[in-house]
Amino acid sequence: MIKNKNDYLIIKPPSGLLNIDWNELWKYRELLYIFAWRDIKVRYKQTVIGIAWALFQPFVTMVIFSFFFGKLAKVSSEGVPYPIFVYSGLLFWNYFSSSLTNASNSLIKEQNIIKKVYFPRLILPISATVTHLIDFGFSLLIMIGMMIYFKMQLSLHILYILPLLLIITTISSSGIGLFLSSVNVKYRDVRYILPFFIQILLYLTPVIYPVSIIPENIRWIMYLNPMSGVITIARSMFLNTGNIDYMSLLVSLFISFLYFLFGIYYFKKMEQYFADII
Amino acid sequence: MTEPIIKIENLGKKYILRQKEKYITLRDSLNNLIPNLLSKNNREEFWALKDINVSLYDGDVLGIIGKNGSGKSTLLKIMSRITYPSQGQLTIKGNVASLLEVGTGFNPELTGRENIYLNGAILGMKSIEIRKNFDEIVNFSGVEKFLDTPVKHYSSGMYVRLAFSIAAHLSSDVLLVDEVLAVGDAEFQKRCLRKMGQVAKSGRTVLFVSHNMQSISDLCNRVILLSEGKLIGDGKPQDIISQYIDKIRNVADKENNINTEGRKGTGLVKIDKVEFDNLISGEEARIKMYYSSAKRNDKLINCRVAFAVKDLKYNLCFICSTEMYFEDNLQLNPTGILECTINKLPLGEGEYVVDLFFEENNVVVDWLKDSMIINVSAGKFHPGVRQVPKGHEGKAGTLVEHKWSTL
């Protein structure tokens, strides 16, 4: 492990369970911004297409889901129009799934840099997660448009609940992303399983259906998935489908922290081998 | 002397050799779970570096030489913290910048200007620092006009120039450099060397890995020689470079055989032996390359076989390659002998280093750097009295036929 004592840099074989050099991480924060800036810049380089895609993709998903699940399958939507019901779920789900995918592939994608330059590797998955906040912003515009269209009342809770939900989503996707990105370095076939895993997760999360259709006695299982809590609370907040469940907010926050800690732990454990096996 | 800037103590790096696969997959791991539990320890350990002890002081410019696979790059990688040591300790006073490659992290979609900021940050520069040096970086690179063009439209020369210019403006107490000079055109390489010389003179500690003995002896005040992960020489550039060349000679002398340390390539075909006949300056020289393939019975397709001759400073004299003589898609028997004839050997009296190269269908199957030392005897290349200019005996480089006249 590496220690900075005054001006001395000591490099020796890694030992100990988990030591994160927070000072160093702070010193490298600029690199985190730069990576995020680069990803955003490259994605929105062709500004029109970039932004159009960020708007188009969630919108079309919403239309298709509304048609098949809302109109044909008649999935319950707790009394609000199905399109806005499913969109409020997709809003957070898309942010979660795309940042998770991006974070999981971040190390493999930047293997050339990892092999040639030192910097705290934690930066890569985390910046990959944060980058998708921009897309979230664009998707939120559609949400606002739909709320106006469906004449929804905007509750003031949004001011503090929305940031909290974003924090929960970000730390759980980067936590799981940290874990998966290190597994991905070791086992190169993981990236092929990943889309399938995320697909499954979509159906295990109340995006296209309300959490209320799950039998009460097994509903607690849903809360192992912080996105269940996030989406259910997002609905109470945007659509007034019920009171905000503060208990579930706390549970989700707690669970997402657990995922994050586990992710960091596993990542740090594997970090020493990255350059050798990538 | 005062305290060392860099102190390397008993440093070692161990790799676990896996079987042939380049990377492992989850599927294979699951499949092998049971067999692996039953037969324990089929893993092989390999020490890429072992028991390295070196101390460097302020202003030292250290050259690291050795064959491929001798541990040079591993040492640099540990020092630049890309990989961890398995044992020992390394203490560095001050901050370190490493240049194992130029242009790391360049994004082709971004413009030159944007890449300066991106690459600078990746190399560890603060954005204030980059802004401060921005004009100088641009001037040095000579790409002002294309600053706002995405680098994907750059020529490879421009790309490398920009990349090196950023790297050259890194400020740190210790600089680690790995053969980045092997890129770009000759003129730019010279500029890079000059820049490196300036850095060295400014009193910073520099570590420099290179195959080019010329730049090593020009830049460094001290050289270490690595072989199979061990430090076998440490001293003045001239002494260590001769030690290195002696080492190749010792192995190579045994019945004209080749020194196979640091061999690269897939090993599908191996060059077994090379015979140089009639190595006399200006006469017809014949070179026989014996090769064999243990694994193939069918014809080898699309082959490219070559040898390169370098002087003892590792400056390239010439390359003889089959691709310059045969049509494309040269087919060869899996085992055989190739003969090359040089009509009039353009080398002065002295010793030269030879690299050997064998490629099949765009895959390098055997590549031996510094595989042998050849000895060219004096002859009559030029019709005049003198064969090489005064003071260049034994280091004349390549000879060229030429005439003079007074007008």
Side-chain angles (χ1 to χ4, degrees):
Chain A
M1 276 294 141
I2 288 135
K3 265 178 229 141
N4 267 307
K5 253 187 202 160
N6 303 325
D7 262 352
Y8 289 92
L9 175 70
I10 297 170
I11 303 172
K12 53 184 182 185
S15 60
L17 272 182
L18 181 64
N19 44 24
I20 301 170
D21 190 340
W22 296 105
N23 276 334
E24 187 190 42
L25 213 55
W26 178 246
K27 248 173 56 191
Y28 274 93
R29 68 191 182 281
E30 225 170 62
L31 189 59
L32 192 141
Y33 308 148
I34 292 263
F35 277 137
W37 164 83
R38 174 201 60 186
D39 286 348
I40 292 164
K41 192 100 188 173
V42 170
R43 201 132 43 97
Y44 294 107
K45 196 86 188 171
Q46 281 122 346
T47 324
V48 181
I49 295 172
I51 295 173
W53 181 246
L55 295 169
F56 179 79
Q57 194 208 356
F59 188 79
V60 168
T61 316
M62 179 270 290
V63 170
I64 289 171
F65 280 13
S66 304
F67 182 72
F68 286 100
F69 297 117
K71 201 159 175 79
L72 299 185
K74 300 212 169 11
V75 174
S76 149
S77 58
E78 301 186 312
V80 289
Y82 190 82
I84 196 165
F85 170 84
V86 76
Y87 192 81
S88 57
L90 281 172
L91 181 68
F92 283 92
W93 175 258
N94 282 341
Y95 172 53
F96 175 78
S97 69
S98 52
S99 57
L100 176 59
T101 308
N102 213 15
S104 305
N105 291 325
S106 60
L107 294 175
I108 296 288
K109 217 177 81 196
E110 304 294 356
Q111 50 177 303
N112 287 327
I113 306 183
I114 290 177
K115 278 191 281 194
K116 298 289 179 191
V117 184
Y118 171 80
F119 55 86
R121 310 302 189 202
L122 270 173
I123 285 180
L124 281 174
I126 292 178
S127 84
T129 311
V130 177
T131 308
H132 286 276
L133 275 173
I134 300 283
D135 287 349
F136 180 85
F138 285 120
S139 312
L140 193 62
L141 290 180
I142 298 185
M143 184 71 205
I144 293 166
M146 287 177 80
M147 288 178 74
I148 294 167
Y149 180 83
F150 286 106
K151 300 192 177 65
M152 289 288 166
Q153 284 264 304
L154 200 61
S155 96
L156 278 175
H157 294 307
I158 213 165
L159 289 175
Y160 67 96
I161 297 286
L162 185 67
L164 265 176
L165 294 182
L166 272 178
I167 289 170
I168 296 172
T169 313
T170 308
I171 57 178
S172 44
S173 67
S174 51
I176 304 169
L178 282 166
F179 168 73
L180 287 176
S181 63
S182 0
V183 176
N184 211 351
V185 170
K186 188 159 183 198
Y187 303 107
R188 289 308 169 81
D189 49 354
V190 166
R191 75 174 113 174
Y192 304 115
I193 312 169
L194 193 66
F196 172 71
F197 168 72
I198 287 177
Q199 194 74 31
I200 295 290
L201 222 51
L202 168 67
Y203 295 108
L204 293 179
T205 307
V207 178
I208 47 184
Y209 56 84
V211 79
S212 56
I213 65 168
I214 294 163
E216 199 110 23
N217 52 348
I218 57 161
R219 207 177 282 172
W220 61 271
I221 298 174
M222 295 302 281
Y223 290 102
L224 286 177
N225 171 2
M227 291 315 290
S228 295
V230 166
I231 288 172
T232 309
I233 294 160
R235 284 190 179 132
S236 349
M237 172 182 80
F238 283 123
L239 316 174
N240 298 314
T241 48
N243 291 326
I244 288 164
D245 184 350
Y246 288 98
M247 191 57 208
S248 120
L249 190 67
L250 278 178
V251 170
S252 296
L253 195 62
F254 178 71
I255 296 279
S256 65
F257 260 111
L258 282 186
Y259 283 144
F260 190 69
L261 284 179
F262 172 73
I264 285 202
Y265 167 75
Y266 189 79
F267 189 90
K268 290 302 279 186
K269 213 179 101 188
M270 296 298 295
E271 191 181 23
Q272 52 175 307
Y273 305 112
F274 285 165
D276 297 338
I277 60 177
I278 203 163
Chain B
M1 268 289 179
T2 47
E3 238 188 321
I5 296 283
I6 299 175
K7 198 166 163 200
I8 304 173
E9 296 161 285
N10 297 319
L11 200 71
K13 171 82 184 176
K14 178 176 71 178
Y15 285 102
I16 307 289
L17 286 186
R18 290 193 213 100
Q19 290 77 22
K20 290 280 171 232
E21 299 118 47
K22 246 191 124 166
Y23 49 82
I24 47 175
T25 61
L26 190 58
R27 199 176 59 189
D28 291 343
S29 295
L30 292 177
N31 280 340
N32 295 335
L33 202 62
I34 306 288
N36 278 353
L37 284 175
L38 295 176
S39 67
K40 257 188 164 175
N41 267 336
N42 51 357
R43 302 190 302 179
E44 219 181 310
E45 283 185 2
F46 162 72
W47 287 89
L49 272 185
K50 191 119 172 80
D51 304 327
I52 306 291
N53 285 288
V54 181
S55 289
L56 288 176
Y57 298 89
D58 218 359
D60 260 352
V61 181
L62 179 79
I64 305 171
I65 59 174
K67 295 203 133 201
N68 287 337
S70 60
K72 294 175 305 219
S73 304
T74 308
L75 180 59
L76 226 51
K77 274 190 178 167
I78 293 173
M79 300 193 70
S80 45
R81 298 156 75 189
I82 291 165
T83 182
Y84 290 87
S86 314
Q87 59 168 226
Q89 183 172 316
L90 176 70
T91 315
I92 301 176
K93 199 181 160 195
N95 61 332
V96 189
S98 67
L99 268 183
L100 303 200
E101 181 188 65
V102 291
T104 309
F106 260 41
N107 191 304
E109 299 293 330
L110 298 179
T111 66
R113 183 190 303 278
E114 289 162 344
N115 270 304
I116 292 179
Y117 283 97
L118 174 63
N119 183 245
I122 290 173
L123 292 176
M125 285 191 235
K126 296 245 167 302
S127 60
I128 310 165
E129 243 177 288
I130 303 172
R131 231 166 281 144
K132 206 179 73 195
N133 288 320
F134 192 85
D135 292 335
E136 218 180 304
I137 293 174
V138 175
N139 279 337
F140 189 82
S141 69
V143 299
E144 296 92 332
K145 269 191 245 162
F146 306 97
L147 213 48
D148 293 306
T149 311
V151 297
K152 65 179 172 188
H153 299 306
Y154 279 29
S155 71
S156 58
M158 283 159 63
Y159 187 93
V160 168
R161 283 207 299 275
L162 181 63
F164 185 85
S165 308
I166 304 166
H169 289 83
L170 268 174
S171 62
S172 64
D173 306 314
V174 177
L175 184 65
L176 312 170
V177 187
D178 189 3
E179 289 205 272
V180 281
L181 300 170
V183 290
D185 51 65
E187 199 265 338
F188 189 72
Q189 280 190 31
K190 262 189 222 145
R191 250 162 88 192
C192 299
L193 272 172
R194 262 207 305 279
K195 186 82 195 172
M196 289 266 305
Q198 280 171 21
V199 171
K201 276 192 204 92
S202 70
R204 284 195 267 164
T205 305
V206 182
L207 271 88
F208 179 42
V209 166
S210 178
H211 273 114
N212 189 308
M213 301 297 155
Q214 183 77 55
S215 30
I216 290 270
S217 60
D218 286 352
L219 286 172
C220 305
N221 65 346
R222 188 174 156 194
V223 173
I224 59 172
L225 171 59
L226 296 178
S227 172
E228 292 170 336
K230 293 190 191 70
L231 191 117
I232 58 166
D234 182 349
K236 288 215 163 62
Q238 286 322 318
D239 302 343
I240 303 302
I241 292 172
S242 335
Q243 187 191 346
Y244 178 50
I245 289 171
D246 283 344
K247 201 175 163 278
I248 305 171
R249 197 185 349 248
N250 288 341
V251 185
D253 266 356
K254 285 172 205 149
E255 63 175 282
N256 226 4
N257 235 329
I258 47 186
N259 184 349
T260 53
E261 191 192 330
R263 179 173 226 158
K264 279 194 177 172
T266 59
L268 180 73
V269 179
K270 281 192 166 145
I271 301 167
D272 302 316
K273 189 170 146 186
V274 180
E275 286 173 0
F276 283 80
D277 258 345
N278 205 31
L279 284 174
I280 302 167
S281 187
E283 296 204 6
E284 186 185 274
R286 284 175 306 278
I287 297 97
K288 279 204 187 97
M289 290 175 81
Y290 296 76
Y291 65 89
S292 61
S293 174
K295 295 167 202 156
R296 284 277 289 268
N297 294 315
D298 53 326
K299 285 232 168 199
L300 305 170
I301 55 157
N302 203 2
C303 293
R304 223 151 61 89
V305 187
F307 63 89
V309 177
K310 304 178 287 191
D311 65 18
L312 289 189
K313 286 283 176 76
Y314 283 63
N315 294 311
L316 180 67
C317 298
F318 60 80
I319 299 175
C320 295
S321 173
T322 54
E323 76 206 278
M324 280 129 72
Y325 186 78
F326 293 107
E327 310 248 318
D328 287 349
N329 193 12
L330 169 65
Q331 298 206 3
L332 292 172
N333 291 323
T335 297
I337 309 167
L338 274 161
E339 191 182 44
C340 172
T341 312
I342 300 172
N343 291 336
K344 199 174 172 194
L345 188 67
L347 296 171
E349 182 186 4
E351 286 185 312
Y352 296 86
V353 186
V354 179
D355 292 350
L356 305 167
F357 181 82
F358 203 121
E359 186 188 272
E360 195 220 0
N361 211 11
N362 300 319
V363 177
V364 178
V365 290
D366 202 8
W367 184 12
L368 297 140
K369 263 195 159 169
D370 310 343
S371 65
M372 54 202 296
I373 304 271
I374 53 170
N375 206 330
V376 176
S377 335
K380 223 164 162 45
F381 184 87
H382 296 297
V385 187
R386 196 169 267 290
Q387 291 298 311
V388 290
K390 260 187 197 161
H392 282 262
E393 293 78 11
K395 43 180 177 174
T398 314
L399 307 177
V400 178
E401 268 187 285
H402 61 287
K403 285 182 192 155
W404 289 89
S405 53
T406 48
L407 296 175

